Amino acid sequence: MNENQPNTLPPEYFDHVYQANRDPWNFETSPYEREKYAATLAALPRTHYAEVFEVGCSLGVLTAQLAPRCGHLLAVDVSEAALAQARARCAALPQVEIRQMQVPDEFPSQSFDLILLSEVGYYWSPADLARAAEKFIAALQPGGQLLLVHWTPPVHDYPLTGDDVHAFFLAKTVEGGPLRHLTGQRHEQYRLDLLEKR
């Protein structure tokens, strides 16, 4: 991890990105994203999850694909510009609730049987990643799952790398840790790890 303790990227960073380009990471059109979303959904071993929390839903492209497997899906993002698109995309999906929220400073009060952290963890400082991890573990029901999916090449602006994020959570699966590691995949430009609360 970066020794000079970089700061978490602020909501304004994302607002500027979305104001400049309505789909800045090509979530809607990229073959890379399409393949990654398919791998993300295929990695989930259950056909149905009653309470799901998606951190960093952005435009809601993955949210809409995940929704049919959810009883209730709380999808959050820091950028209102992104959420406006997510709300429109998921308008016909009554199980989806979309909220502006800055995790870990803000966090929902309910518990979950699935938390999805996809392409978000490397935006946090090491301290905020640690705080978020504590809150995720506390919010997961016993047997609840945490799915991590992150781009692995380093990005100059980002406080952490995808590998930093996954290594931090995997350290919590060692003997006596609160999580266990169910499965992992490493692709050319991203990795995926599925953890479960003991």
Side-chain angles (χ1 to χ4, degrees):
M1 291 193 189
N2 195 324
E3 288 307 307
N4 61 9
Q5 296 294 303
N7 294 322
T8 294
L9 294 183
E12 298 77 45
Y13 173 94
F14 299 97
D15 287 334
H16 292 315
V17 169
Y18 286 109
Q19 282 158 10
N21 182 343
R22 66 174 294 280
D23 184 7
W25 289 281
N26 300 314
F27 292 137
E28 297 174 324
T29 57
S30 154
Y32 162 80
E33 295 293 344
R34 196 162 45 243
E35 188 275 329
K36 189 186 67 185
Y37 293 153
T40 298
L41 296 169
L44 294 171
R46 301 178 194 160
T47 54
H48 183 81
Y49 292 83
E51 285 289 339
V52 179
F53 184 33
E54 182 189 4
V55 183
C57 66
S58 184
L59 312 180
V61 179
L62 180 58
T63 313
Q65 295 178 40
L66 180 61
R69 294 172 66 175
C70 306
H72 174 246
L73 169 55
L74 173 60
V76 306
D77 202 278
V78 296
S79 170
E80 190 50 54
L83 291 173
Q85 293 188 60
R87 286 191 186 97
R89 188 182 311 279
C90 298
L93 300 168
Q95 71 273 49
V96 176
E97 177 187 356
I98 292 174
R99 266 196 248 164
Q100 187 172 20
M101 185 178 288
Q102 189 173 358
V103 175
D105 293 342
E106 301 168 291
F107 204 84
S109 55
Q110 71 256 50
S111 61
F112 300 96
D113 54 355
L114 173 64
I115 296 175
L116 175 60
L117 184 70
S118 178
E119 310 291 13
V120 175
Y122 43 56
Y123 296 132
W124 288 326
S125 66
D128 279 348
L129 177 65
R131 289 169 56 219
E134 281 181 23
K135 293 185 177 193
F136 291 161
I137 291 165
L140 278 174
Q141 298 163 5
Q145 294 173 348
L146 172 64
L147 182 59
L148 309 169
V149 188
H150 288 86
W151 170 263
T152 47
V155 180
H156 172 71
D157 286 357
Y158 299 175
L160 299 170
T161 66
D163 283 324
D164 290 336
V165 173
H166 287 237
F168 182 84
F169 280 99
L170 287 169
K172 299 187 176 298
T173 67
V174 294
E175 202 169 332
L179 300 172
R180 61 192 187 100
H181 190 216
L182 296 185
T183 184
Q185 302 170 22
R186 180 176 278 279
H187 297 258
E188 188 182 350
Q189 294 180 304
Y190 73 94
R191 64 182 294 182
L192 180 156
D193 283 289
L194 180 67
L195 310 172
E196 187 173 85
K197 186 170 177 178
R198 294 189 197 273

